[in-house]
Amino acid sequence: MASCSPLLLLVLCTLTVAEAQLKLFNLRASNLPSGILGTTDGYVKVFCGSVTLGETSVRNNNPNPWWEEEFTHFNARKNDVMRLEVHDSDILFDDLLGVCQRQIKLGTHKHDCFLEKGGTLHYTYSLG
Ligand SMILES: [Ca+2]
């Protein structure tokens, strides 16, 4: 058909896989366990797909920390895997308290994630 140009098809395809903006915020945790040294010094590392978005500051000696940091990824796509790692900072080796992984969906979503070594991570993200 003369009306269906290859250029139009290309534009449609590009729109279908359009990249979206991911924003992660309202990060907090509750009931984090204490390590051998007895203090819980939590921080969170954030990844999306193969991209490292960064990490929060360390909240020293607080089993119920919150973090004001927000993370933004401008080239996110629906169904990318977002990965949040909760660590306890220590003098020698930091402990990994747990990992939260989720395929991101369009819209704004609030989640609670139970950590392997105890405690819960709470976060909100929006994709659009
Ligand atoms: Ca610690």
Side-chain angles (χ1 to χ4, degrees):
M1 286 203 311
S3 62
C4 190
S5 76
L7 181 63
L8 179 61
L9 286 175
L10 182 66
V11 169
L12 286 175
C13 284
T14 309
L15 286 176
T16 313
V17 295
E19 288 165 342
Q21 182 180 322
L22 170 69
K23 195 173 171 189
L24 173 70
F25 51 100
N26 278 348
L27 275 170
R28 62 187 181 87
S30 50
N31 302 312
L32 293 180
S34 56
I36 296 167
L37 296 177
T39 63
T40 306
D41 317 293
Y43 66 98
V44 184
K45 291 183 181 177
V46 181
F47 308 87
C48 182
S50 58
V51 180
T52 303
L53 301 187
E55 61 184 68
T56 67
S57 54
V58 175
R59 291 282 183 246
N60 284 311
N61 202 10
N62 185 352
N64 301 294
W66 62 272
W67 297 273
E68 76 270 14
E69 287 95 337
E70 297 184 349
F71 298 89
T72 304
H73 183 28
F74 293 100
N75 303 314
R77 290 182 182 186
K78 195 174 72 167
N79 295 326
D80 276 356
V81 175
M82 180 171 67
R83 175 182 169 90
L84 306 176
E85 294 179 358
V86 183
H87 296 260
D88 173 17
S89 173
D90 280 318
I91 293 167
L92 292 179
F93 301 104
D94 293 358
D95 287 325
L96 179 61
L97 300 179
V99 175
C100 303
Q101 290 197 113
R102 168 171 301 278
Q103 273 194 317
I104 54 176
K105 306 291 179 197
L106 290 172
T108 300
H109 307 273
K110 193 175 174 184
H111 292 291
D112 300 323
C113 165
F114 297 103
L115 305 171
E116 255 172 68
K117 292 194 178 170
T120 308
L121 177 70
H122 314 272
Y123 63 94
T124 306
Y125 77 86
S126 65
L127 181 68

